[in-house]
Amino acid sequence: MTAAACPEDLVRAVRAVGVRDERLLQAVRSTPRAGFVPTEHIAHAYEDVPIPIAHGQVTTQPSLSATMIEGLGLTGREHVLEVGSGLGYQTALLARMAADVVSVELWPDLVRGARRNLARQGIRNAEVRVGDGGQGVPGHAPYDAVIVSAAFPTVPAPLVEQLRLGGRLVQPIGTGGREEVVLFERTVIGLEPRQVLTLARFVRLHGRYGYPS
């Protein structure tokens, strides 16, 4: 990592993909990604690239996380569910954008890492727990917004049920490898697609409402 590498490099990358939410840009600016990546990858922390983590997973590249978060239209008052905590970087961005975040991750060691990383940054309005992301966290529902950082051809039914009427959900729709990242809104007749935010590659969603682990 060069001496000049810093969160501002990621702010520029996020602006370059069209993100304009100033609160979100400030969240990227104030969240050191170097505190959320494995030690051996710190040199790449401020590059706009996915970074490998345990269990064959990768972090979402920052500009893609920002695009998805911007799609949620957060104002600072929302109760948010995140599916796929990774090591907590996107969780941290969400925590700076919303009232509170409940994040669920399949792998216990990643949960421990995310909790540790968030605590080191003084972020206290995010709860990271072990679980099957496709089942959500019904005990904390309803949610104003849901963000899913893994691909599946459909939105898991429990996530729809846990999203309040008028709430927004962003999920990559596909089989894992090349997806449409879709913004949905829950209406009186169900979950309706509103916009394809971007195309991207994601790992697959695993669990009862995803692919077999």
Side-chain angles (χ1 to χ4, degrees):
M1 183 170 59
T2 67
C6 66
E8 202 61 40
D9 296 308
L10 293 182
V11 173
R12 285 189 284 271
V14 168
R15 284 189 187 277
V17 298
V19 171
R20 295 291 176 263
D21 185 323
E22 287 297 333
R23 290 180 61 245
L24 180 51
L25 293 169
Q26 181 57 34
V28 174
R29 184 176 289 114
S30 60
T31 306
R33 193 183 185 213
F36 294 89
V37 300
T39 304
E40 63 270 26
H41 295 294
I42 283 180
H44 303 289
Y46 297 111
E47 298 173 13
D48 186 33
V49 295
I51 289 179
I53 56 177
H55 308 291
Q57 306 296 295
V58 296
T59 66
T60 305
Q61 72 187 80
S63 63
L64 179 53
S65 281
T67 297
M68 294 171 72
I69 292 170
E70 187 175 53
L72 295 175
L74 301 175
T75 66
R77 299 186 297 270
E78 292 82 7
H79 176 49
V80 178
L81 174 65
E82 177 188 37
V83 175
S85 316
L87 289 176
Y89 178 71
Q90 180 174 276
T91 315
L93 296 180
L94 289 165
R96 297 189 192 281
M97 294 292 293
D100 67 277
V101 183
V102 178
S103 185
V104 59
E105 170 61 56
L106 190 62
W107 303 101
D109 55 330
L110 294 183
V111 169
R112 290 191 294 271
R115 287 172 177 168
R116 184 168 56 248
N117 295 338
L118 290 163
R120 285 172 178 164
Q121 297 301 322
I123 294 171
R124 296 181 175 84
N125 62 329
E127 175 189 348
V128 184
R129 52 167 60 200
V130 178
D132 178 345
Q135 297 191 55
V137 184
H140 288 268
Y143 300 96
D144 301 301
V146 177
I147 185 168
V148 184
S149 297
F152 197 64
T154 59
V155 176
L159 302 184
V160 180
E161 294 163 4
Q162 292 169 37
L163 182 64
R164 70 163 177 81
L165 193 65
R168 291 183 165 201
L169 181 149
V170 173
Q171 179 182 312
I173 300 297
T175 57
R178 188 64 172 172
E179 283 73 50
E180 290 187 337
V181 181
V182 182
L183 167 64
F184 297 88
E185 182 179 349
R186 185 170 183 187
T187 71
V188 291
I189 62 171
L191 200 65
E192 295 194 37
R194 294 298 189 217
Q195 183 182 355
V196 176
L197 299 176
T198 188
L199 302 177
R201 294 178 182 273
F202 276 85
V203 298
R204 288 180 161 193
L205 178 68
H206 292 275
R208 180 178 175 186
Y209 293 89
Y211 294 98
S213 297

